[in-house]
C-alpha cells in the first residue's frame, strides 16, 4: 500500500475520532509494538542475535516510514555516522566530542527547518530520542576502555568493551518499543536481552512478562482517556482565550493547575504504552525482588503512584520521564564534576535538556523555572531545618496531613505554572498567560530569595558555603 493510500485511511480515521493525523499515526505505531512483541516472543526469542537485529531494524524502519515517509532516512544517516565514528576513533575523547557535537547539531538544524509555533509531530520527535541513544553509545564505548576501578557504579552497567557492529547499532536504534517516544535504554541492556542473558539457563522458557505488559497497556489507555476527557473541559485554546483573561484571579489559578495536570497525562500515557510493549518482549527484566518475583521495571519511565502522591518538586521529578533524567544524570551532570560546583553543573544540564527539546523559548523558560524552584525548595528545607521549633511542629503527627495537603495544593499549581511555557512554546503565548497570572510564582520566588538573603545577613540562619559537592 502506498504512503498516499495510508494517508487517506488514517486521515479519515483521525477525523472520525477527533484527533490530528500525525497524533493518530503515532498512537497506532506505539500500539503496534504489542503484536510485534508477540511475534518476536513466539518466533525469535533467544534465537540468533543477527536475526533479531534485522527484525527490529525492519520493524522500526517500517514504523518510521509509516509516520514520516522518506524522512526516516535522517535516522539512517546518523546510524551510519555513529558506526563510522566508532570504527575509526571509537573509545577516545575525540569520538565522544564529535558524537555530541554532530548529533546535537543535526537535531538542532532539524528543529530549525521543521519548527512551527506548535508542538510538531515530525521526524525530529523520534530523532531527539535517537540523539541521546547514539551519544550514549559513544560514551559507553569510551567507558569500556577504562579500567574497572575508574568506572562509577552506573558506568559499570553500561560500558562496552568493544564497539558494536552496524547491525547491532541498527537493532538498538530501531527497536520498536523505544524508537518513537522512548524509553531510553543502554546498548548493554539491549545486547544482554538479544543475547539471552535475561532468559532462563535453557533459553527455552518464555519470560512471564505478559501480565506486567498488559497492565502497563491498560494503565496507559486509562490515562490517555483521562487526558482526552480533561481536554474537553479545559482545552489549550481556552487558556489562551480572552475568556480566561477575564476570569477572577483565584479561578485562573485553579484552571491553570488543573490544565497542567491534564496536559502531563498525555506524556505519561505515551510512556506507559511504549514501556508496555518493551516489557512484552522481555527487555525490561530487572532481576528479582526479595521474594523471588521477577521485576519488569528495567525501562520504567513513570511511577504513577509515586507521581500522584508526590508533594515536592524533587519528589515529582524523580517519578516521570525517569530514563531521560537518568541519562542526563549519567552522561551530562556527573561528567561535569570537574567544574567543582553542583549548582553550576545542574544549570548546564538543564540548558542541555532545553536544547535537546528544541529551539522554542518555552523550553528554556520551563527549565529555568525548574532551576529556580528546585533552588527555592532546597533553601526552604534548609531554613526550616535551622529552626528546631518549626521543624518539630511541622513533623508532629497532628500537622502531617494538613501540611501534606498544603504542599500538594502548592505543587499542583506551581508544577502547572512552571510547565506552562513548555506546552505553549512560543514567547507570545506563554507571556500572555503569565501576564494574565501576574507572574505570581516568579514574584513569590523573588520575594523568598530576598527574605532568605536578609535572614542570612542577620544571621538568623547560618551562612551556607557554595555547593562544591561532587555530582554523585
Amino acid at each position: 500500500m502506498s504512503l498516499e493510500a495510508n494517508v487517506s485511511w488514517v486521515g479519515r480515521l483521525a477525523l472520525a475520532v477527533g484527533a490530528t493525523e500525525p497524533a493518530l499515526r503515532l498512537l497506532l505505531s506505539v500500539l503496534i509494538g504489542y503484536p510485534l512483541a508477540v511475534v518476536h516472543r513466539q518466533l525469535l526469542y533467544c534465537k540468533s542475535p543477527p536475526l533479531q537485529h534485522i527484525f527490529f531494524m525492519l520493524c522500526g524502519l517500517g514504523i518510521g516510514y509509516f509516520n514520516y515517509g522518506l524522512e526516516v532516512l535522517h535516522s539512517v544517516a546518523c546510524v551510519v555516522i555513529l558506526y563510522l565514528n566508532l570504527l575509526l576513533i571509537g573509545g577516545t575523547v575525540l569520538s565522544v566530542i564529535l558524537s555530541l557535537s554532530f548529533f546535537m547539531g543535526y537535531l538542532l538544524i532539524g528543529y530549525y527547518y521543521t519548527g512551527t509555533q506548535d508542538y510538531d509531530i515530525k521526524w525530529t520527535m523520534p530523532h531527539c530520542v535517537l540523539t541521546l541513544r547514539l551519544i550514549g553509545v559513544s560514551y559507553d564505548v569510551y567507558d569500556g576502555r577504562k579500567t574497572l576501578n575508574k568506572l562509577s557504579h552506573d558506568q559499570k552497567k553500561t560500558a562496552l568493551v568493544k564497539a558494536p557492529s552496524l547491525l547491532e547499532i541498527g537493532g538498538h536504534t530501531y527497536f520498536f518499543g523505544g524508537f518513537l517516544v522512548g524509553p531510553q535504554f543502554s546498548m548493554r541492556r539491549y545486547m544482554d536481552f538479544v543475547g539471552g542473558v535475561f532468559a532462563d539457563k535453557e533459553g527455552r522458557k518464555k519470560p512471564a512478562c505478559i501480565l506486567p505488559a498488559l497492565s502497563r497497556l491498560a494503565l496507559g489507555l486509562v490515562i490517555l482517556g483521562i487526558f482526552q476527557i480533561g481536554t474537553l473541559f479545559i482545552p489549550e485554546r481556552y487558556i489562551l482565550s480572552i475568556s480566561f483573561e477575564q476570569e477572577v484571579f483565584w479561578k485562573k489559578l485553579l484552571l491553570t493547575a488543573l490544565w497542567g495536570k491534564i496536559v502531563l497525562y498525555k506524556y505519561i500515557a505515551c510512556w506507559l504504552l511504549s514501556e508496555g510493549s518493551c516489557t512484552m518482549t522481555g527487555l525490561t527484566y530487572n532481576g528479582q525482588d526479595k521474594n523471588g518475583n521477577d521485576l519488569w521495571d528495567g525501562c520504567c519511565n513513570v511511577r504513577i503512584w509515586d507521581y500522584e502522591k508526590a508533594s515536592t518538586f524533587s519528589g515529582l521529578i524523580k517519578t516521570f520521564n525517569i530514563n531521560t533524567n537518568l541519562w542526563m544524570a549519567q552522561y551530562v551532570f556527573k561528567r561535569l564534576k570537574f567544574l567543582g560546583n553542583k549548582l553550576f553543573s545542574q544549570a548546564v544540564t538543564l540548558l542541555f535538556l532545553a536544547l535537546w527539546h528544541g529551539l522554542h523559548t518555552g523550553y528554556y523558560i520551563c527549565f529555568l523555572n525548574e532551576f529556580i524552584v528546585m533552588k527555592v525548595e532546597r533553601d526552604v528545607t534548609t531554613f526550616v531545618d535551622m529552626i528546631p521549633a518549626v521543624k518539630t511542629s511541622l513533623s508532629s503527627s497532628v500537622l502531617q496531613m494538613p501540611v501534606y495537603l498544603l504542599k500538594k495544593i502548592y505543587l499542583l499549581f506551581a508544577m502547572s505554572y512552571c510547565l506552562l511555557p513548555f506546552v505553549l512554546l512560543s514567547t507570545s503565548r506563554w507571556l500572555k498567560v503569565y501576564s494574565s497570572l501576574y507572574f505570581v510564582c516568579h514574584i513569590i520566588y523573588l520575594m523568598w530569595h530576598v527574605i532568605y538573603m536578609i535572614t542570612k545577613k542577620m544571621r538568623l540562619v547560618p551562612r551556607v558555603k557554595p555547593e562544591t559537592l561532587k555530582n554523585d
Side-chain angles (χ1 to χ4, degrees), residues 439-458:
F439 294 90
V440 57
C441 278
H442 287 97
I443 291 173
I444 291 172
Y445 295 146
L446 178 61
M447 288 174 59
W448 164 257
H449 184 71
V450 172
I451 293 169
Y452 189 64
M453 293 303 294
I454 291 174
T455 56
K456 286 174 66 175
K457 290 281 186 182
M458 297 174 65

Side-chain angles (χ1 to χ4, degrees), residues 334-394:
K334 293 180 181 180
R335 310 271 175 168
L336 295 173
K337 63 182 179 182
F338 66 89
L339 296 175
N341 187 297
K342 193 173 183 180
L343 204 61
F344 188 58
S345 297
Q346 182 187 7
V348 173
T349 303
L350 289 174
L351 177 60
F352 181 89
L353 194 55
L355 271 171
W356 175 67
H357 276 93
L359 301 176
H360 293 291
T361 58
Y363 293 131
Y364 300 88
I365 297 300
C366 175
F367 290 110
L368 175 61
N369 289 343
E370 180 180 333
F371 180 80
I372 293 171
V373 77
M374 291 296 290
K375 177 69 167 60
V376 170
E377 193 170 277
R378 285 194 297 268
D379 288 347
V380 170
T381 302
T382 301
F383 186 83
V384 171
D385 288 344
M386 293 303 108
I387 308 175
V390 174
K391 184 179 181 180
T392 302
S393 298
L394 294 177

